[in-house]
Amino acid sequence: MVLVPCVLGVLALVAALVLGRSPGVTIGVALLGGAYGGSLFLGPRGLDVWAPLEATALVLAAELAHWSLELRPWVAAEPGVLARRAATVAATAAGTLAVSAAVLAAASAPVRGGVGWEAVGVTAAASALAVVVRLARRPV
């Protein structure tokens, strides 16, 4: 059941890179992320300790795919631009790993619940959504 979105995601990503179409990268990464999310519901119960690495891999795949599309046609960049871009991509990946590991650690902490924790959860979910929207709207 999860294999179909995985295959479609990889095909969309490959087609986007071959044809040079940016929306295909977004569709491919979204399908791969959705397939991973679906596998969490089908697999054994409990937290997936590999989730931070999965999140980092998806962010890296999207960043590097979009970067490769930006390099078409090849134009010589100013000195240091590629190094700064590589540092930005590396920092984004490191930040993704750190934040997702912190979320996993917080999710695994034993908590009894209550209105306060529900408010924290709603705030965290809204903040995560705001980050995703901000990243989606940033110029490429």
Side-chain angles (χ1 to χ4, degrees):
M1 184 169 172
V2 178
L3 187 61
V4 172
C6 263
V7 170
L8 291 175
V10 169
L11 289 176
L13 194 55
V14 169
L17 291 174
V18 169
L19 299 174
R21 303 286 182 209
S22 182
V25 172
T26 305
I27 292 169
V29 171
L31 283 170
L32 290 171
Y36 174 68
S39 73
L40 294 176
F41 287 105
L42 299 175
R45 296 290 178 205
L47 292 176
D48 183 11
V49 297
W50 296 102
L53 293 177
E54 295 282 346
T56 304
L58 288 172
V59 167
L60 270 177
E63 285 288 338
L64 294 176
H66 281 291
W67 190 6
S68 71
L69 292 177
E70 290 175 16
L71 295 176
R72 294 180 191 180
W74 175 256
V75 176
E78 293 180 27
V81 169
L82 294 179
R84 285 193 302 273
R85 178 72 184 260
T88 301
V89 169
T92 301
T96 301
L97 185 61
V99 168
S100 57
V103 168
L104 183 67
S108 64
V111 180
R112 293 180 203 231
V115 177
W117 283 111
E118 286 185 27
V120 169
V122 169
T123 304
S127 299
L129 182 61
V131 167
V132 169
V133 168
R134 173 83 170 127
L135 290 175
R137 289 187 179 180
R138 87 175 172 185
V140 179

